[in-house]
Amino acid sequence: MSRVYNFSAGPAVLPEEVLQKVQGEMMDYRGSGMSVMEMSHRSKVFDNIIQEAEQDLRDLMGIPDNYRVLFMQGGASLQFSMIPMNLMKNRVADYVLTGQWSKKAWQEAQKYGTANAVASSADKTFSYIPDCSDLPIDEKADYVYICENNTIYGTKYKKLPNTKGKLLVSDVSSCFLSEPVNVSDYGIIYGGVQKNIGPAGMVISIIREDLITDDVMEFTPTMMKFKTHADAGSLYNTPNCWCIYVCGEVFKWLKAMGGLSVMKERNEKKAAVLYDYLDSSRMFHGTVVKEDRSLMNVPFVTGDKELDAKFVKEAEAAGFVNLKGHRTVGGMRASIYNAMPQEGVEKLVAFMKEFEERGLKKNVSV
Ligand SMILES: *Cc1c(COP(=O)(O)O)cnc(C)c1O
């Protein structure tokens, strides 16, 4: 068996301990004689799995009792329409545009009402988080929407926007469980799990109870009403059983690691190895303003497309894979989620240093 260092933005690296545990339970899940992939979602065994997963997530994030946890399908992208359908009572919402994912959510919301863009960092290719201390919040806005960690551009809100009393809805797909959060600051905090938690195919949405009602847009499909899933404990229809199980194992892994404040420390230490090097390198540069740097997604460039491509190719041959940047940013992006070990980043930086030295020497000799 040979595993690479996988810097994919998502689906992404999972903790090896979890993969091994899941492998060990593949043929016979704890005496059931079957795999979790083969069992009824209505069985006692699965009921235990989903209950424990929810409880462990509640413990990790300190989710208050007046918030519901929903495990749903359709990815983070389906939430782009579910959120307005369920929340836009006045048919007005305010969106902060910090990259492609918030832009997509904003565009989708325009189908259901007035979606205002109240701030944007598009002017500098989304390389920073706009000042959100005094946004022109619409009096009638049903909520203010942000994408808290921008997977493609590598920015992260270090401070939540001043919503002037309006509900905050946040997409945390790529920073989910990377550090502690105060759930009460949000009306909805949600994310697709395939970035920083588990396998693809599920979104977890943590929703304040009073926002889950029958008062939704009249055409809302049953499957797109939060209440449908809340009333049925995320078992209205067959959920992604496998994903719930693996995510549950990741929650246990995170608890065993010491929880989210320990993860935050680890993530800060890990990201610093890469950022410190980028700040001192003569060849590679980060693309994001320092104050807004993400701990999870680190884009960088050499400034020369051919050199970028050469680096990505050589890195891959050396066992550092999925470093090619998003097509809209170019260059490279290292996604260094919870499951990426410190050693992976240290080895990547050692490789980058060696690549840089080789390149600089060559330039001198020309
Ligand atoms: C990946 C991503 C999405 C889209 O997720 P899907 O599950 O593929 O729909 C949305 N928001 C953010 C921040 C992402 O990183």
Side-chain angles (χ1 to χ4, degrees):
M1 186 194 68
S2 129
R3 286 189 47 90
V4 291
Y5 288 112
N6 179 7
F7 295 93
S8 170
V13 57
L14 288 169
E16 266 183 33
E17 293 91 331
V18 170
L19 293 175
Q20 271 158 2
K21 178 123 185 271
V22 164
Q23 181 182 43
E25 293 177 338
M26 182 66 80
M27 300 304 285
D28 174 11
Y29 178 79
R30 302 186 196 177
S32 66
M34 60 181 94
S35 145
V36 177
M37 279 187 275
E38 303 169 289
M39 61 179 60
S40 165
H41 58 297
R42 310 273 175 214
S43 64
K44 184 82 198 89
V45 187
F46 186 74
D47 191 55
N48 259 339
I49 293 175
I50 191 169
Q51 297 296 341
E52 263 187 51
E54 175 169 344
Q55 190 55 55
D56 286 333
L57 181 64
R58 285 185 174 277
D59 296 347
L60 278 170
M61 293 180 74
I63 301 174
D65 289 343
N66 64 328
Y67 281 75
R68 299 294 303 268
V69 174
L70 305 185
F71 300 111
M72 295 176 288
Q73 298 182 65
S77 298
L78 193 63
Q79 295 303 305
F80 298 170
S81 13
M82 279 179 85
I83 288 162
M85 282 184 190
N86 283 267
L87 252 49
M88 260 193 188
K89 317 290 177 193
N90 298 329
R91 303 237 173 180
V92 181
D94 289 344
Y95 281 71
V96 180
L97 307 186
T98 53
Q100 296 217 355
W101 296 118
S102 49
K103 220 167 117 185
K104 279 190 174 167
W106 171 60
Q107 283 163 344
E108 195 65 23
Q110 289 169 21
K111 294 182 178 170
Y112 306 104
T114 306
N116 304 307
V118 288
S120 168
S121 50
D123 60 334
K124 290 183 180 157
T125 332
F126 301 115
S127 58
Y128 70 103
I129 298 288
D131 178 4
C132 294
S133 58
D134 187 18
L135 297 169
I137 303 288
D138 194 311
E139 238 173 66
K140 286 175 68 188
D142 293 299
Y143 59 88
V144 176
Y145 183 101
I146 63 169
C147 176
E148 207 161 320
N149 185 80
N150 295 280
T151 324
I152 295 172
Y153 298 97
T155 57
K156 161 108 203 304
Y157 285 76
K158 301 295 159 80
K159 194 169 176 278
L160 294 177
N162 173 5
T163 64
K164 304 185 177 168
K166 303 293 184 191
L167 281 178
L168 179 63
V169 174
S170 178
D171 173 358
V172 294
S173 294
S174 48
C175 61
F176 222 158
L177 305 181
S178 63
E179 57 184 87
V181 291
N182 183 18
V183 174
S184 309
D185 290 341
Y186 304 85
I188 299 181
I189 176 169
Y190 82 94
V193 299
Q194 77 276 20
K195 306 282 163 66
N196 199 26
I197 305 180
M202 190 168 77
V203 61
I204 300 177
S205 193
I206 301 161
I207 310 177
R208 214 176 64 199
E209 213 163 46
D210 59 291
L211 304 175
I212 303 173
T213 66
D214 283 316
D215 178 21
V216 299
M217 290 183 186
E218 67 281 3
F219 51 78
T220 304
T222 309
M223 276 291 285
M224 292 179 70
K225 258 173 80 173
F226 289 139
K227 193 157 186 298
T228 301
H229 299 280
D231 286 351
S234 299
L235 295 169
Y236 171 74
N237 72 324
T238 320
N240 189 334
C241 301
W242 174 257
C243 194
I244 292 169
Y245 158 58
V246 179
C247 288
E249 291 302 325
V250 173
F251 301 155
K252 289 188 190 305
W253 178 79
L254 288 167
K255 279 176 117 175
M257 297 288 284
L260 300 192
S261 34
V262 172
M263 289 318 291
K264 181 178 192 211
E265 271 170 43
R266 281 171 52 104
N267 289 329
E268 281 171 346
K269 204 170 140 222
K270 195 166 69 186
V273 174
L274 185 48
Y275 283 126
D276 288 350
Y277 167 64
L278 290 174
D279 289 342
S280 67
S281 168
R282 287 168 61 197
M283 181 181 275
F284 299 102
H285 315 281
T287 58
V288 165
V289 301
K290 280 191 188 178
E291 313 83 78
D292 300 329
R293 283 170 165 175
S294 165
L295 293 180
M296 298 282 103
N297 310 98
V298 184
F300 55 95
V301 295
T302 63
D304 172 344
K305 277 188 183 141
E306 273 172 35
L307 193 58
D308 287 348
K310 184 171 187 287
F311 173 77
V312 169
K313 198 167 159 228
E314 290 189 19
E316 183 170 336
F320 306 101
V321 311
N322 291 321
L323 280 166
K324 192 169 187 293
H326 191 270
R327 61 189 185 281
T328 58
V329 185
M332 284 68 69
R333 170 178 50 174
S335 294
I336 50 175
Y337 296 120
N338 282 342
M340 171 59 64
Q342 172 90 13
E343 177 200 76
V345 177
E346 282 167 3
K347 287 191 175 164
L348 172 66
V349 167
F351 178 80
M352 289 168 76
K353 279 184 183 158
E354 187 262 331
F355 184 91
E356 173 173 353
E357 275 157 28
R358 250 193 296 141
L360 296 177
K361 253 189 228 137
K362 210 170 102 199
N363 282 349
V364 170
S365 65
V366 175

